[in-house]
Amino acid sequence: MTVRPPFRLARLFAAFAFAATTLAGCASIDNTPVNQPSALPRITAANTVGGDDTLRTTIVGLAFSGGGTRAAAFSFGVLKGLRRIDLIDQVRFVSGVSGGSVTAAYFGLRGRAALDDFESRFLYRDAEEALRTQVYSVGNVMRALDGGVNDRSGLPTWLQQNLFGAATFKDFRRPGRPVVWINASDIYSKTPFIFEPLTFASICSDLDRYPIAEAVAASAAVPIVFTPVVIRNYADKCGFTLPDYLESEAKNRDASPNVRAYVNALTQYRNTSKIGFVKLLDGGLTDNWGLAGINVALGAAPEPFKPLTREDAITVEKFLFVVVDAGRTISGDWTKTLEGPNAKELLDAVTDTAVDSAVRNSFEVLRLQMKLWETRLRSWRCSLTPDEVARIRGTADGWNCNAVNIRVERVAFEDLDPDTAQRLGRIPTRFKLEPAEVKLAVDAGEQVVTKVLGGH
């Protein structure tokens, strides 16, 4: 749970229990699926590797964690820091979850121009103004009992009206834009749901026409506070089958557990009598650092150079993947006394424990995947002939097939001085912050990039 509700959960649960025994009927909820069928689903990349046609020796990938506007602001500060050290134009991949997905999607949509107006259009706005937040409202209690307090009329509509407009995933496929992964959670399969071509091909749906605002809202849909975002499964409308290499990965005991679980979920989608609708909630439930997209792309890649293009894989010398962690620091003082934690503190502690444990494991998987990928990439490069290299670079002179380095970095509040880290960690996880809190998080993101990545 990466975006905590703007009201006390413990009190809300008590209200739910009371309402369940005293109230009848249910509130009207709008969770109608908006995805469209596709008779000929494509499993090629949703967009080519971002950036212009210039092949570069340095390529950057980013993963933005969850954490409401705190995470969006910290991630935005990281983008500003990358611009300061002249790496912003090398960003070719960006993945986001929950609050981080807002920044990832807006940067993916607008590129460098996102740095000009994201603060005024989102960070300093109240994205909760369209949400139902009254704890003791009978209507809210009934909506919660029926699946969630806020439906499509809340956050998805706000994001569409104020940030993304009518933009769809097709709009990510513009020159100079990075590949974008938005990550939600399939709460039935208990796996990440990645908004990418293979996922939508498996349900015979058209990713190009899916609204970006809906995907971001799904990534940030905290249970109870929001209703699940629903995707209709059209798998019986087309004859799509998973590629053989993915079928093999699902059966390979040595394959990444993340990849196996993801492919198994895609296989289940092919049975519409069992899964007619996919129900999505906050991506932080399964992966709060937004690593699912890159982990699956690496673990299930059919070619050793993927997710790079062949051209980039020949030219690149340094691949830098930065995980931007805006998670909260340890808080509370109930360890000093015999009493405590109270109900809310206990709920927060249990949630943070589960989330932090999951992301640490996911990060270790990523580091392992990157090491294996570096080995595969070098081996593939060294199998090329001088003529193949020259066709891409213009010449093979001075090219060293082993001269490629893959580096993974995590930047977090703890990279800053202890006082600043504590202040950042106390910023609440919600979509409405005080201006001073936004500025603190943005400045921290810019500062941490200069500190950790300043020398590249």
Side-chain angles (χ1 to χ4, degrees), residues 441-454:
V442 172
D443 290 347
E446 189 169 3
Q447 180 183 343
V448 80
V449 166
T450 304
K451 178 179 180 180
V452 178
L453 305 177

Side-chain angles (χ1 to χ4, degrees), residues 29 108 140 173 195 354 398:
I29 289 178
N140 283 355
R173 293 193 286 117
F195 284 86

Side-chain angles (χ1 to χ4, degrees), residues 82-94:
L82 291 174
R83 181 175 61 182
R84 174 182 288 186
I85 62 174
D86 295 324
L87 282 181
I88 192 71
D89 293 324
Q90 277 67 45
V91 177
R92 303 294 184 94
F93 304 93
V94 59

